[in-house]
Amino acid sequence: METGLEITADYSCLRPFGCEQNLLSRPDGSASFFQGDTTVLAAVYGPADVKVSKEIFDKATVEVILKPKVGLSGVAEKAKEQMIKNTCESVILTALHPRTSITVVLQVIHDAGSLLSCCLNASFVAMMDAGLPMKSSFCGLTCVIGTDGNIVLDPTTKQEKESRAVLIFGIESTEKKVLLLTTKGSCSVEELQRCLAICQKASEKIFQFYRDSLRRKFSKS
């Protein structure tokens, strides 16, 4: 089994992050992604046969399953599943595989903040490992606005709880367009634009990491 562990760090903004691909033998693609102490394991199955009730005649059916660290999935997990699904569907070339299913299964290993962003990044790396046809890359980034107005990128759980607003972006690689935006708390339009600009700039580091990770993976094979 080919695996590659890549780590990068920029303590002025992003926590140390990295991934390990091809961890599992049964899925078509798998990856573990960590950001700081937050770790998510992702597995991708498909394109594969789909149930008739879920079949779409002109494109693949995308499903996302998010499993919490302990217990059963609740409302919060279902909401995250829908957001991750919409983001994945926006980049996967589903029309190339009609009447099939693509399933992304995410297992939370540890949540230390910025969980949805880590889930998005783990999903993409696993889809990349599975060789799914995609029109662009995407990444997830979280930032918080403190009570003093300061913006913190890639926050921990403690920083999220103490903040005035939490903003999560899904950003694609070609034109830095926003694929996903979800907020919690209150912020002004100017603060939203500042957070978006910061996340778009930070996304370059993650996209470069994707490229380096893929290059090193194939250089070993």
Side-chain angles (χ1 to χ4, degrees):
M1 181 184 293
E2 291 289 334
T3 60
L5 182 63
E6 322 294 346
I7 300 175
T8 186
D10 185 350
Y11 294 97
S12 64
C13 54
L14 294 171
R15 292 178 293 174
F17 64 89
C19 73
E20 190 170 359
Q21 299 182 48
N22 199 20
L23 288 168
L24 307 175
S25 58
R26 287 176 177 258
D28 295 292
S30 60
S32 173
F33 198 95
F34 69 86
Q35 296 176 212
D37 292 328
T38 301
T39 307
V40 175
L41 179 64
V44 174
Y45 300 85
D49 293 336
V50 63
K51 293 181 180 179
V52 176
S53 60
K54 296 181 179 180
E55 183 180 278
I56 304 175
F57 78 94
D58 62 345
K59 64 179 183 178
T61 301
V62 179
E63 290 185 282
V64 173
I65 300 170
L66 176 59
K67 299 181 179 181
K69 183 178 180 179
V70 293
L72 301 174
S73 297
V75 176
E77 283 75 26
K78 295 300 180 184
K80 288 185 177 71
E81 286 176 358
Q82 189 61 45
M83 288 186 280
I84 297 167
K85 174 188 172 183
N86 292 342
T87 306
C88 292
E89 278 185 326
S90 65
V91 299
I92 298 174
L93 299 175
T94 53
L96 296 180
H97 300 283
R99 295 189 174 93
T100 63
S101 71
I102 296 171
T103 305
V104 181
V105 182
L106 298 160
Q107 173 66 59
V108 178
I109 306 300
H110 188 67
D111 179 11
S114 304
L115 178 61
L116 180 55
S117 297
C118 192
C119 288
L120 288 168
N121 296 334
S123 299
F124 177 78
V125 176
M127 291 192 302
M128 187 170 62
D129 187 56
L132 292 182
M134 294 181 280
K135 60 184 178 183
S136 66
S137 306
F138 69 83
C139 71
L141 287 156
T142 302
C143 65
V144 297
I145 303 172
T147 54
D148 55 359
N150 288 333
I151 296 174
V152 178
L153 186 64
D154 196 19
T156 62
T157 303
K158 183 173 182 289
Q159 289 171 324
E160 288 181 0
K161 290 180 179 178
E162 295 174 349
S163 66
R164 172 162 53 88
V166 180
L167 300 91
I168 304 168
F169 297 91
I171 299 173
E172 62 92 40
S173 59
T174 54
E175 299 179 5
K176 301 294 190 296
K177 290 182 179 178
V178 177
L179 303 177
L180 167 70
L181 169 59
T182 178
T183 64
K184 180 181 179 181
S186 61
C187 65
S188 65
V189 175
E190 291 75 14
E191 288 174 327
L192 174 60
Q193 291 174 337
R194 283 177 57 205
C195 289
L196 174 58
I198 290 171
C199 288
Q200 286 175 324
K201 182 66 176 176
S203 70
E204 297 173 3
K205 191 175 291 292
I206 298 179
F207 292 136
Q208 185 59 49
F209 169 75
Y210 289 162
R211 289 188 287 269
D212 293 342
S213 178
L214 195 61
R215 190 179 299 114
R216 291 175 187 177
K217 174 186 174 182
F218 284 108
S219 67
K220 293 177 182 178
S221 59

mmCIF file of all heavy atoms in Angstrom, residues 8 10-17 33-38 112-118 121 140-144 151-157 159-160 167 198-199 202 206:
data_model
loop_
_atom_site.group_PDB
_atom_site.id
_atom_site.type_symbol
_atom_site.label_atom_id
_atom_site.label_comp_id
_atom_site.label_asym_id
_atom_site.label_seq_id
_atom_site.Cartn_x
_atom_site.Cartn_y
_atom_site.Cartn_z
ATOM 1 N N THR A 8 2.770 20.574 6.639
ATOM 2 C CA THR A 8 3.211 21.944 6.454
ATOM 3 C C THR A 8 2.683 22.777 7.605
ATOM 4 O O THR A 8 1.738 22.379 8.277
ATOM 5 C CB THR A 8 2.710 22.512 5.114
ATOM 6 O OG1 THR A 8 3.281 23.812 4.928
ATOM 7 C CG2 THR A 8 1.208 22.645 5.086
ATOM 8 N N ASP A 10 2.172 27.021 9.135
ATOM 9 C CA ASP A 10 2.345 28.463 9.098
ATOM 10 C C ASP A 10 1.672 28.985 10.358
ATOM 11 O O ASP A 10 0.469 29.175 10.405
ATOM 12 C CB ASP A 10 1.712 29.059 7.848
ATOM 13 C CG ASP A 10 1.998 30.558 7.744
ATOM 14 O OD1 ASP A 10 2.514 31.144 8.714
ATOM 15 O OD2 ASP A 10 1.691 31.129 6.707
ATOM 16 N N TYR A 11 2.446 29.143 11.408
ATOM 17 C CA TYR A 11 1.878 29.444 12.715
ATOM 18 C C TYR A 11 1.272 30.844 12.795
ATOM 19 O O TYR A 11 0.576 31.164 13.741
ATOM 20 C CB TYR A 11 2.952 29.257 13.797
ATOM 21 C CG TYR A 11 3.391 27.825 13.941
ATOM 22 C CD1 TYR A 11 4.547 27.369 13.306
ATOM 23 C CD2 TYR A 11 2.627 26.921 14.663
ATOM 24 C CE1 TYR A 11 4.942 26.046 13.417
ATOM 25 C CE2 TYR A 11 3.016 25.593 14.775
ATOM 26 C CZ TYR A 11 4.177 25.167 14.160
ATOM 27 O OH TYR A 11 4.554 23.861 14.267
ATOM 28 N N SER A 12 1.541 31.694 11.788
ATOM 29 C CA SER A 12 0.940 33.022 11.797
ATOM 30 C C SER A 12 -0.517 32.983 11.373
ATOM 31 O O SER A 12 -1.251 33.922 11.627
ATOM 32 C CB SER A 12 1.726 33.950 10.866
ATOM 33 O OG SER A 12 1.637 33.495 9.534
ATOM 34 N N CYS A 13 -0.957 31.899 10.696
ATOM 35 C CA CYS A 13 -2.363 31.825 10.282
ATOM 36 C C CYS A 13 -2.922 30.423 10.432
ATOM 37 O O CYS A 13 -3.756 30.175 11.308
ATOM 38 C CB CYS A 13 -2.535 32.351 8.864
ATOM 39 S SG CYS A 13 -1.485 31.571 7.635
ATOM 40 N N LEU A 14 -2.470 29.480 9.615
ATOM 41 C CA LEU A 14 -3.002 28.125 9.653
ATOM 42 C C LEU A 14 -2.258 27.260 10.667
ATOM 43 O O LEU A 14 -1.047 27.377 10.825
ATOM 44 C CB LEU A 14 -2.890 27.476 8.272
ATOM 45 C CG LEU A 14 -3.740 28.077 7.147
ATOM 46 C CD1 LEU A 14 -3.336 27.456 5.816
ATOM 47 C CD2 LEU A 14 -5.213 27.872 7.406
ATOM 48 N N ARG A 15 -3.010 26.377 11.310
ATOM 49 C CA ARG A 15 -2.364 25.377 12.157
ATOM 50 C C ARG A 15 -1.629 24.371 11.264
ATOM 51 O O ARG A 15 -1.899 24.301 10.065
ATOM 52 C CB ARG A 15 -3.417 24.647 12.999
ATOM 53 C CG ARG A 15 -4.091 25.498 14.056
ATOM 54 C CD ARG A 15 -5.165 24.717 14.807
ATOM 55 N NE ARG A 15 -6.280 24.376 13.928
ATOM 56 C CZ ARG A 15 -7.308 23.600 14.295
ATOM 57 N NH1 ARG A 15 -7.338 23.089 15.511
ATOM 58 N NH2 ARG A 15 -8.286 23.350 13.455
ATOM 59 N N PRO A 16 -0.690 23.608 11.830
ATOM 60 C CA PRO A 16 -0.038 22.564 11.018
ATOM 61 C C PRO A 16 -1.102 21.637 10.431
ATOM 62 O O PRO A 16 -2.045 21.252 11.118
ATOM 63 C CB PRO A 16 0.842 21.829 12.026
ATOM 64 C CG PRO A 16 1.089 22.814 13.111
ATOM 65 C CD PRO A 16 -0.150 23.643 13.211
ATOM 66 N N PHE A 17 -0.976 21.294 9.148
ATOM 67 C CA PHE A 17 -1.937 20.398 8.527
ATOM 68 C C PHE A 17 -1.217 19.411 7.627
ATOM 69 O O PHE A 17 -0.079 19.651 7.184
ATOM 70 C CB PHE A 17 -3.009 21.177 7.748
ATOM 71 C CG PHE A 17 -2.492 21.964 6.574
ATOM 72 C CD1 PHE A 17 -2.393 21.387 5.318
ATOM 73 C CD2 PHE A 17 -2.109 23.292 6.720
ATOM 74 C CE1 PHE A 17 -1.921 22.110 4.238
ATOM 75 C CE2 PHE A 17 -1.648 24.025 5.650
ATOM 76 C CZ PHE A 17 -1.547 23.435 4.402
ATOM 77 N N PHE A 33 -6.989 13.404 7.022
ATOM 78 C CA PHE A 33 -6.547 14.798 6.961
ATOM 79 C C PHE A 33 -6.601 15.375 8.362
ATOM 80 O O PHE A 33 -7.579 15.186 9.085
ATOM 81 C CB PHE A 33 -7.441 15.610 6.023
ATOM 82 C CG PHE A 33 -6.822 16.908 5.564
ATOM 83 C CD1 PHE A 33 -6.141 16.976 4.368
ATOM 84 C CD2 PHE A 33 -6.917 18.056 6.345
ATOM 85 C CE1 PHE A 33 -5.552 18.163 3.940
ATOM 86 C CE2 PHE A 33 -6.336 19.245 5.930
ATOM 87 C CZ PHE A 33 -5.652 19.301 4.718
ATOM 88 N N PHE A 34 -5.521 16.084 8.739
ATOM 89 C CA PHE A 34 -5.517 16.719 10.056
ATOM 90 C C PHE A 34 -5.171 18.195 9.934
ATOM 91 O O PHE A 34 -4.398 18.602 9.070
ATOM 92 C CB PHE A 34 -4.534 16.020 11.012
ATOM 93 C CG PHE A 34 -3.082 16.195 10.662
ATOM 94 C CD1 PHE A 34 -2.370 17.310 11.105
ATOM 95 C CD2 PHE A 34 -2.412 15.246 9.924
ATOM 96 C CE1 PHE A 34 -1.032 17.475 10.803
ATOM 97 C CE2 PHE A 34 -1.072 15.395 9.601
ATOM 98 C CZ PHE A 34 -0.387 16.518 10.043
ATOM 99 N N GLN A 35 -5.803 18.991 10.793
ATOM 100 C CA GLN A 35 -5.515 20.414 10.938
ATOM 101 C C GLN A 35 -5.353 20.662 12.426
ATOM 102 O O GLN A 35 -6.324 20.622 13.165
ATOM 103 C CB GLN A 35 -6.658 21.269 10.397
ATOM 104 C CG GLN A 35 -6.884 21.127 8.907
ATOM 105 C CD GLN A 35 -8.082 21.906 8.408
ATOM 106 O OE1 GLN A 35 -8.747 21.486 7.462
ATOM 107 N NE2 GLN A 35 -8.380 23.042 9.024
ATOM 108 N N GLY A 36 -4.137 20.887 12.853
ATOM 109 C CA GLY A 36 -3.891 20.966 14.285
ATOM 110 C C GLY A 36 -4.202 19.614 14.903
ATOM 111 O O GLY A 36 -3.694 18.580 14.466
ATOM 112 N N ASP A 37 -5.091 19.607 15.902
ATOM 113 C CA ASP A 37 -5.500 18.353 16.542
ATOM 114 C C ASP A 37 -6.809 17.818 15.989
ATOM 115 O O ASP A 37 -7.325 16.812 16.479
ATOM 116 C CB ASP A 37 -5.633 18.559 18.058
ATOM 117 C CG ASP A 37 -4.284 18.816 18.728
ATOM 118 O OD1 ASP A 37 -3.276 18.265 18.246
ATOM 119 O OD2 ASP A 37 -4.243 19.573 19.717
ATOM 120 N N THR A 38 -7.371 18.482 15.000
ATOM 121 C CA THR A 38 -8.597 18.005 14.361
ATOM 122 C C THR A 38 -8.234 17.019 13.257
ATOM 123 O O THR A 38 -7.440 17.334 12.373
ATOM 124 C CB THR A 38 -9.394 19.177 13.761
ATOM 125 O OG1 THR A 38 -9.725 20.101 14.800
ATOM 126 C CG2 THR A 38 -10.689 18.684 13.116
ATOM 127 N N ALA A 112 -11.002 19.342 17.291
ATOM 128 C CA ALA A 112 -10.374 20.392 18.087
ATOM 129 C C ALA A 112 -10.565 21.749 17.433
ATOM 130 O O ALA A 112 -9.744 22.645 17.579
ATOM 131 C CB ALA A 112 -8.884 20.091 18.281
ATOM 132 N N GLY A 113 -11.682 21.899 16.680
ATOM 133 C CA GLY A 113 -11.963 23.160 16.009
ATOM 134 C C GLY A 113 -11.849 23.066 14.503
ATOM 135 O O GLY A 113 -11.111 22.221 13.971
ATOM 136 N N SER A 114 -12.633 23.897 13.785
ATOM 137 C CA SER A 114 -12.634 23.944 12.312
ATOM 138 C C SER A 114 -12.956 22.578 11.715
ATOM 139 O O SER A 114 -12.342 22.151 10.729
ATOM 140 C CB SER A 114 -11.275 24.445 11.787
ATOM 141 O OG SER A 114 -10.942 25.690 12.339
ATOM 142 N N LEU A 115 -13.959 21.889 12.295
ATOM 143 C CA LEU A 115 -14.259 20.518 11.868
ATOM 144 C C LEU A 115 -14.790 20.457 10.447
ATOM 145 O O LEU A 115 -14.352 19.613 9.659
ATOM 146 C CB LEU A 115 -15.275 19.886 12.826
ATOM 147 C CG LEU A 115 -15.729 18.464 12.475
ATOM 148 C CD1 LEU A 115 -14.540 17.511 12.483
ATOM 149 C CD2 LEU A 115 -16.811 17.978 13.428
ATOM 150 N N LEU A 116 -15.741 21.325 10.087
ATOM 151 C CA LEU A 116 -16.312 21.272 8.743
ATOM 152 C C LEU A 116 -15.243 21.512 7.681
ATOM 153 O O LEU A 116 -15.242 20.850 6.635
ATOM 154 C CB LEU A 116 -17.446 22.294 8.613
ATOM 155 C CG LEU A 116 -18.159 22.355 7.254
ATOM 156 C CD1 LEU A 116 -18.689 20.988 6.847
ATOM 157 C CD2 LEU A 116 -19.281 23.385 7.289
ATOM 158 N N SER A 117 -14.326 22.441 7.936
ATOM 159 C CA SER A 117 -13.234 22.692 6.992
ATOM 160 C C SER A 117 -12.377 21.449 6.812
ATOM 161 O O SER A 117 -12.003 21.083 5.695
ATOM 162 C CB SER A 117 -12.356 23.846 7.482
ATOM 163 O OG SER A 117 -13.086 25.038 7.548
ATOM 164 N N CYS A 118 -12.074 20.782 7.901
ATOM 165 C CA CYS A 118 -11.257 19.569 7.841
ATOM 166 C C CYS A 118 -11.991 18.462 7.078
ATOM 167 O O CYS A 118 -11.381 17.716 6.315
ATOM 168 C CB CYS A 118 -10.906 19.109 9.261
ATOM 169 S SG CYS A 118 -9.628 17.845 9.338
ATOM 170 N N ASN A 121 -11.683 19.210 3.374
ATOM 171 C CA ASN A 121 -10.337 18.912 2.874
ATOM 172 C C ASN A 121 -10.098 17.407 2.796
ATOM 173 O O ASN A 121 -9.494 16.914 1.834
ATOM 174 C CB ASN A 121 -9.295 19.582 3.767
ATOM 175 C CG ASN A 121 -9.397 21.096 3.735
ATOM 176 O OD1 ASN A 121 -9.857 21.680 2.762
ATOM 177 N ND2 ASN A 121 -8.980 21.748 4.814
ATOM 178 N N GLY A 140 -11.592 23.786 2.353
ATOM 179 C CA GLY A 140 -12.420 24.421 3.368
ATOM 180 C C GLY A 140 -11.556 25.236 4.312
ATOM 181 O O GLY A 140 -10.461 24.810 4.697
ATOM 182 N N LEU A 141 -12.046 26.408 4.695
ATOM 183 C CA LEU A 141 -11.331 27.274 5.626
ATOM 184 C C LEU A 141 -12.320 27.912 6.591
ATOM 185 O O LEU A 141 -13.413 28.315 6.191
ATOM 186 C CB LEU A 141 -10.568 28.368 4.881
ATOM 187 C CG LEU A 141 -9.308 27.913 4.137
ATOM 188 C CD1 LEU A 141 -8.974 28.861 3.006
ATOM 189 C CD2 LEU A 141 -8.135 27.808 5.107
ATOM 190 N N THR A 142 -11.921 27.985 7.850
ATOM 191 C CA THR A 142 -12.756 28.588 8.885
ATOM 192 C C THR A 142 -12.036 29.785 9.481
ATOM 193 O O THR A 142 -10.820 29.748 9.680
ATOM 194 C CB THR A 142 -13.052 27.570 10.011
ATOM 195 O OG1 THR A 142 -13.696 26.423 9.449
ATOM 196 C CG2 THR A 142 -13.950 28.175 11.084
ATOM 197 N N CYS A 143 -12.773 30.839 9.755
ATOM 198 C CA CYS A 143 -12.213 31.959 10.503
ATOM 199 C C CYS A 143 -13.261 32.477 11.481
ATOM 200 O O CYS A 143 -14.462 32.297 11.269
ATOM 201 C CB CYS A 143 -11.722 33.073 9.577
ATOM 202 S SG CYS A 143 -13.001 33.877 8.621
ATOM 203 N N VAL A 144 -12.798 33.084 12.552
ATOM 204 C CA VAL A 144 -13.700 33.628 13.574
ATOM 205 C C VAL A 144 -13.382 35.100 13.785
ATOM 206 O O VAL A 144 -12.263 35.562 13.559
ATOM 207 C CB VAL A 144 -13.574 32.863 14.913
ATOM 208 C CG1 VAL A 144 -13.991 31.420 14.755
ATOM 209 C CG2 VAL A 144 -12.165 32.967 15.482
ATOM 210 N N ILE A 151 -9.645 39.004 13.604
ATOM 211 C CA ILE A 151 -9.988 37.813 12.831
ATOM 212 C C ILE A 151 -8.919 36.752 13.041
ATOM 213 O O ILE A 151 -7.728 37.026 12.904
ATOM 214 C CB ILE A 151 -10.124 38.150 11.338
ATOM 215 C CG1 ILE A 151 -11.297 39.117 11.123
ATOM 216 C CG2 ILE A 151 -10.330 36.888 10.514
ATOM 217 C CD1 ILE A 151 -11.414 39.624 9.699
ATOM 218 N N VAL A 152 -9.352 35.551 13.389
ATOM 219 C CA VAL A 152 -8.439 34.422 13.603
ATOM 220 C C VAL A 152 -8.768 33.342 12.586
ATOM 221 O O VAL A 152 -9.928 32.922 12.457
ATOM 222 C CB VAL A 152 -8.571 33.859 15.032
ATOM 223 C CG1 VAL A 152 -7.646 32.653 15.221
ATOM 224 C CG2 VAL A 152 -8.242 34.928 16.064
ATOM 225 N N LEU A 153 -7.766 32.890 11.845
ATOM 226 C CA LEU A 153 -7.936 31.856 10.832
ATOM 227 C C LEU A 153 -7.681 30.479 11.436
ATOM 228 O O LEU A 153 -6.819 30.323 12.297
ATOM 229 C CB LEU A 153 -6.968 32.117 9.681
ATOM 230 C CG LEU A 153 -7.066 31.239 8.439
ATOM 231 C CD1 LEU A 153 -8.411 31.427 7.745
ATOM 232 C CD2 LEU A 153 -5.925 31.572 7.476
ATOM 233 N N ASP A 154 -8.460 29.496 10.976
ATOM 234 C CA ASP A 154 -8.303 28.103 11.425
ATOM 235 C C ASP A 154 -8.352 28.013 12.947
ATOM 236 O O ASP A 154 -7.387 27.575 13.586
ATOM 237 C CB ASP A 154 -6.992 27.533 10.885
ATOM 238 C CG ASP A 154 -6.941 26.011 10.970
ATOM 239 O OD1 ASP A 154 -8.006 25.384 11.089
ATOM 240 O OD2 ASP A 154 -5.824 25.459 10.934
ATOM 241 N N PRO A 155 -9.469 28.405 13.568
ATOM 242 C CA PRO A 155 -9.535 28.484 15.035
ATOM 243 C C PRO A 155 -9.671 27.120 15.703
ATOM 244 O O PRO A 155 -10.090 26.132 15.087
ATOM 245 C CB PRO A 155 -10.801 29.314 15.266
ATOM 246 C CG PRO A 155 -11.669 28.967 14.102
ATOM 247 C CD PRO A 155 -10.734 28.808 12.932
ATOM 248 N N THR A 156 -9.329 27.085 16.983
ATOM 249 C CA THR A 156 -9.566 25.916 17.809
ATOM 250 C C THR A 156 -10.995 25.969 18.342
ATOM 251 O O THR A 156 -11.707 26.962 18.175
ATOM 252 C CB THR A 156 -8.582 25.878 18.989
ATOM 253 O OG1 THR A 156 -8.804 27.043 19.803
ATOM 254 C CG2 THR A 156 -7.138 25.877 18.500
ATOM 255 N N THR A 157 -11.415 24.909 19.010
ATOM 256 C CA THR A 157 -12.765 24.870 19.591
ATOM 257 C C THR A 157 -12.951 25.993 20.599
ATOM 258 O O THR A 157 -14.011 26.643 20.640
ATOM 259 C CB THR A 157 -13.012 23.510 20.271
ATOM 260 O OG1 THR A 157 -12.809 22.459 19.311
ATOM 261 C CG2 THR A 157 -14.433 23.422 20.811
ATOM 262 N N GLN A 159 -11.442 28.917 20.686
ATOM 263 C CA GLN A 159 -11.548 30.191 19.979
ATOM 264 C C GLN A 159 -12.911 30.351 19.317
ATOM 265 O O GLN A 159 -13.457 31.455 19.254
ATOM 266 C CB GLN A 159 -10.428 30.290 18.929
ATOM 267 C CG GLN A 159 -9.050 30.482 19.537
ATOM 268 C CD GLN A 159 -7.940 30.366 18.513
ATOM 269 O OE1 GLN A 159 -8.021 29.562 17.578
ATOM 270 N NE2 GLN A 159 -6.890 31.158 18.670
ATOM 271 N N GLU A 160 -13.478 29.255 18.829
ATOM 272 C CA GLU A 160 -14.808 29.319 18.225
ATOM 273 C C GLU A 160 -15.860 29.700 19.264
ATOM 274 O O GLU A 160 -16.753 30.516 18.999
ATOM 275 C CB GLU A 160 -15.168 27.982 17.580
ATOM 276 C CG GLU A 160 -14.409 27.686 16.299
ATOM 277 C CD GLU A 160 -14.817 26.357 15.685
ATOM 278 O OE1 GLU A 160 -15.684 25.669 16.266
ATOM 279 O OE2 GLU A 160 -14.269 25.998 14.624
ATOM 280 N N LEU A 167 -17.212 31.908 10.573
ATOM 281 C CA LEU A 167 -17.484 31.864 9.133
ATOM 282 C C LEU A 167 -16.696 30.723 8.502
ATOM 283 O O LEU A 167 -15.492 30.580 8.749
ATOM 284 C CB LEU A 167 -17.111 33.183 8.452
ATOM 285 C CG LEU A 167 -17.842 34.440 8.949
ATOM 286 C CD1 LEU A 167 -17.050 35.108 10.071
ATOM 287 C CD2 LEU A 167 -18.045 35.428 7.807
ATOM 288 N N ILE A 198 -9.070 36.953 3.435
ATOM 289 C CA ILE A 198 -8.055 36.215 4.200
ATOM 290 C C ILE A 198 -8.089 34.734 3.836
ATOM 291 O O ILE A 198 -7.044 34.097 3.632
ATOM 292 C CB ILE A 198 -8.284 36.414 5.712
ATOM 293 C CG1 ILE A 198 -7.950 37.861 6.107
ATOM 294 C CG2 ILE A 198 -7.453 35.432 6.530
ATOM 295 C CD1 ILE A 198 -8.339 38.217 7.527
ATOM 296 N N CYS A 199 -9.294 34.168 3.734
ATOM 297 C CA CYS A 199 -9.417 32.744 3.422
ATOM 298 C C CYS A 199 -8.991 32.448 1.984
ATOM 299 O O CYS A 199 -8.379 31.410 1.715
ATOM 300 C CB CYS A 199 -10.855 32.281 3.659
ATOM 301 S SG CYS A 199 -11.315 32.164 5.405
ATOM 302 N N ALA A 202 -5.252 32.369 2.084
ATOM 303 C CA ALA A 202 -4.753 31.166 2.771
ATOM 304 C C ALA A 202 -4.998 29.906 1.948
ATOM 305 O O ALA A 202 -4.257 28.921 2.077
ATOM 306 C CB ALA A 202 -5.415 31.046 4.139
ATOM 307 N N ILE A 206 -3.048 25.731 0.824
ATOM 308 C CA ILE A 206 -3.641 24.388 0.815
ATOM 309 C C ILE A 206 -3.615 23.798 -0.590
ATOM 310 O O ILE A 206 -3.298 22.623 -0.769
ATOM 311 C CB ILE A 206 -5.078 24.434 1.363
ATOM 312 C CG1 ILE A 206 -5.072 24.906 2.818
ATOM 313 C CG2 ILE A 206 -5.739 23.055 1.266
ATOM 314 C CD1 ILE A 206 -6.441 25.015 3.459
#
